[in-house]
Amino acid sequence: MSDDHAKLTIREVAEAAGVSRMTVTRVMRQDPLVAPKTRAAVEAVIKRLGYEPMHAARNLSSSKPRVIGVVSQQSAATEAMGLGNEYLNILHLGALQVCNEANYGLIFFPALAEEGIDTYVRRVKTRQVAGYVLAAPSTETPGLVEALLASDIPFSAINPADPARCPLSVLSNDRLAVRQIVDEMLRQGHCRIAFAGAGSHVRASSERLAGYLDAISGAAEPRQEPIVYETRGIAFGDGLALGRRIFGQADRPTAIQCITDDMAAGVIAAAHERRLLMPEVLSVGGFDNFGLAMRLYPALSTATLPLMDMAIAATRQVRDTLDGREVAAQICIDCPVVLRDSIGPGAPVKRRARQPV
């Protein structure tokens, strides 16, 4: 490969072909959804320019770095989202397992704001890092995905809000899991089921809300009306504030599906403050199942975020790409539901007595 070819970027190929950088990426990974005419045009430009992806050239070099970077998010941001140190620890352990298997090194980048996006590109160009695993919520950092794509840097995104932007991604099936929990609430006879924690721009918010709406819209008689509470955050304090606000209302929900276990813990704390019996008067569901769920009273019914499996899968995608192997472009992993004591039968519906004629 000549030096001129080595300097070519995916941006130049896209401009020459008159398509987007994402389209070029999809052609190179043999995406079947690319139109034949577009594929032929892009492949002709790649051949004419002699373009070779950065990671392919790196694989041909004996001096390629055997280091993968994991980009997460600084602790304050993850705490605000209900994602504490347990989230980061599981993420790092999964990535480390894969790197140890293949004699790769691992670097953690927990403070994205301090690093700056240019730093991530520079670390690859100076051969400090070969590729990245981006874990939500860092996937939503403005400009990060675009910068990696423009420089043809291999990366896998864990639960990005828009998987179509990412050549490689690992997703969790949050939508199905939440539907299963809310279906259980419906089966138990609850007629006023709410969802707590909507409003965030991350994938977890939209997918988990969609699962709740799927269950509510498919409910049999009596028909359910969606009750959605938007909150600024999805941590313990947000659940506590929400519970304190709604539990004094006469028409309060009899069941609440929360976006995270941390938020559910706050809702449960507010219920205990008002001496609401659980699950006799109130049922609560959560999402994550990192460990907090079993320490609550009553033990929390929740869905398991398979973060260890996701970290392993994403790191393998990057590792195999660097080693020149075929990889699945997108992997979706189910979230097992664990039903515990926080969900029970709903209170009987009070019907207005028929007036004598």
Side-chain angles (χ1 to χ4, degrees):
M1 182 178 64
S2 69
D3 290 342
D4 288 341
H5 291 168
K7 294 176 182 177
L8 284 172
T9 67
I10 196 170
R11 183 196 298 274
E12 293 169 300
V13 174
E15 290 176 351
V19 298
S20 68
R21 294 192 299 273
M22 179 61 73
T23 298
V24 176
T25 299
R26 287 174 172 165
V27 169
M28 291 191 296
R29 75 175 193 226
Q30 301 299 311
D31 191 326
L33 297 180
V34 178
K37 184 176 180 181
T38 301
R39 182 187 304 281
V42 172
E43 288 176 344
V45 171
I46 290 175
K47 183 176 181 180
R48 175 168 58 82
L49 297 179
Y51 172 70
E52 293 185 20
M54 180 182 288
H55 59 81
R58 193 185 297 116
N59 287 338
L60 296 174
S61 171
S62 60
S63 61
K64 68 173 184 177
R66 296 183 66 83
V67 178
I68 294 175
V70 175
V71 183
S72 52
Q73 188 61 285
Q74 55 192 3
S75 296
T78 52
E79 288 288 354
M81 295 184 64
L83 305 173
N85 290 331
E86 197 166 7
Y87 176 88
L88 298 179
N89 290 340
I90 295 172
L91 173 68
H92 296 161
L93 285 173
L96 186 60
Q97 177 178 317
V98 175
C99 288
N100 284 343
E101 290 172 355
N103 197 30
Y104 267 80
L106 190 66
I107 298 180
F108 303 139
F109 299 97
L112 181 61
E114 296 176 7
E115 288 287 336
I117 292 174
D118 291 343
T119 303
Y120 294 93
V121 175
R122 191 181 314 116
R123 284 179 179 270
V124 173
K125 291 184 175 179
T126 57
R127 296 182 176 272
Q128 300 175 53
V129 177
Y132 293 101
V133 172
L134 311 182
S138 68
T139 51
E140 309 318 308
T141 302
L144 178 58
V145 167
E146 290 76 11
L148 298 181
L149 285 173
S151 295
D152 196 26
I153 295 173
F155 71 94
S156 173
I158 295 178
N159 270 344
D162 183 5
R165 298 167 57 226
C166 306
L168 300 175
S169 61
V170 177
L171 311 175
S172 54
N173 199 346
D174 301 40
R175 183 170 184 165
L176 176 61
V178 169
R179 173 160 192 167
Q180 291 172 339
I181 298 175
V182 178
D183 278 343
E184 174 63 17
M185 294 174 174
L186 290 165
R187 191 186 71 81
Q188 294 277 10
H190 289 275
C191 298
R192 286 185 55 77
I193 303 173
F195 181 86
S200 173
H201 66 292
V202 299
R203 183 175 182 273
S205 179
S206 60
E207 289 295 298
R208 295 175 194 182
L209 174 59
Y212 162 79
L213 294 174
D214 287 346
I216 293 298
S217 63
E221 296 294 337
R223 300 297 298 174
Q224 299 276 320
E225 289 296 329
I227 306 170
V228 178
Y229 297 111
E230 292 193 3
T231 55
R232 302 189 66 169
I234 52 177
F236 176 87
D238 303 291
L240 180 63
L242 177 63
R244 286 171 172 171
R245 175 162 61 88
I246 65 177
F247 289 154
Q249 301 171 359
D251 60 346
R252 63 174 178 249
T254 62
I256 303 176
Q257 172 59 36
C258 298
I259 194 170
T260 63
D261 287 354
D262 276 30
M263 186 164 207
V267 169
I268 290 173
H272 289 324
E273 286 182 349
R274 296 193 66 87
R275 304 293 192 270
L276 297 179
L277 295 178
M278 294 185 61
E280 293 85 351
V281 174
L282 175 70
S283 288
V284 176
F287 204 111
D288 285 333
N289 200 29
F290 287 154
L292 172 65
M294 292 188 66
R295 297 193 291 268
L296 295 173
Y297 181 78
L300 182 65
S301 295
T302 188
T304 303
L305 180 66
L307 185 59
M308 177 69 78
D309 292 339
M310 297 176 75
I312 289 173
T315 309
R316 282 178 177 162
Q317 282 181 322
V318 176
R319 181 201 66 189
D320 290 348
T321 298
L322 294 170
D323 290 344
R325 300 190 186 97
E326 292 280 334
V327 298
Q330 187 178 100
I331 298 171
C332 187
I333 302 176
D334 285 337
C335 305
V337 170
V338 182
L339 296 176
R340 300 191 178 100
D341 296 337
S342 67
I343 295 179
V349 179
K350 293 183 179 179
R351 302 188 183 277
R352 183 177 299 175
R354 180 176 297 178
Q355 297 297 320
V357 178

